[in-house]
Amino acid sequence: EVNRQIGALFGSWLPELGYPFLFEEEFNKYEGIAFLSGSNGEKTHYANRELGCNLSKGIDLLAKAGGNYIIGEAKFLTDSGGHQNAQFEDALRLVRGEDGRAIRIAVLDGVVWIRGNTQMFKTVSGLEENIMSALLLKDFLESLG
């Protein structure tokens, strides 16, 4: 599916924001905005061990900005229904979680933002959680840093 191919490119796109990707020891000491380097599993392990997030599946990003830790899930949704709805719900589960001391975000792009009568748009329009397009991620991180 196109969404699986494009969604995987998120990690390749993140360096375009201009922040360093650091391994754990450097990440812990770094004062500015930075991303933790490593696999989704390694980021999840860090979030659980260091931040008490109690996550059961991998996350797409773990960042630090202004003394805040941010964990996130990224999804590119090309349609509504079926697997796409499951991916959408997966991102919502992460942001609705309450364990730990990290700000939880969902980075969603695609049809979710098309104004209309779809369940995805209705849901995302009524939420107060940190849900944004990848186009706003840099602004969000800088607002914390």
Side-chain angles (χ1 to χ4, degrees), residues 13-143:
W13 172 80
L14 275 178
E16 298 298 319
L17 296 179
Y19 305 116
F21 280 74
L22 305 171
F23 290 103
E24 193 171 320
E25 188 174 324
E26 284 181 281
F27 181 77
N28 289 336
K29 296 175 188 173
Y30 195 76
E31 295 294 324
I33 298 172
F35 290 99
L36 181 64
S37 240
S39 69
N40 290 3
E42 290 168 326
K43 289 179 253 187
T44 302
H45 182 68
Y46 182 94
N48 288 339
R49 185 185 74 241
E50 299 295 327
L51 307 174
C53 292
N54 197 27
L55 303 171
S56 59
K57 63 174 288 309
I59 53 175
D60 295 318
L61 71 91
L62 196 155
K64 188 160 102 169
N68 296 292
Y69 290 90
I70 302 97
I71 60 172
E73 187 73 22
K75 303 289 183 190
F76 185 81
L77 304 166
T78 58
D79 201 356
S80 58
H83 179 69
Q84 298 288 286
N85 282 355
Q87 293 293 304
F88 180 66
E89 290 298 325
D90 190 40
L92 293 182
R93 267 190 298 284
L94 176 76
V95 296
R96 290 176 173 156
E98 297 179 0
D99 290 346
R101 56 183 184 93
I103 297 168
R104 294 166 177 250
I105 67 171
V107 179
L108 303 177
D109 279 295
V111 299
V112 66
W113 299 114
I114 298 174
R115 186 176 302 275
N117 202 26
T118 66
Q119 188 59 45
M120 276 187 200
F121 182 76
K122 288 179 189 177
T123 300
V124 80
S125 297
L127 295 174
E128 293 184 23
E129 286 86 359
N130 294 309
I131 299 174
M132 67 200 74
S133 165
L135 299 172
L136 299 174
L137 182 57
K138 185 171 183 141
D139 292 335
F140 178 77
L141 293 172
E142 289 181 0
S143 76

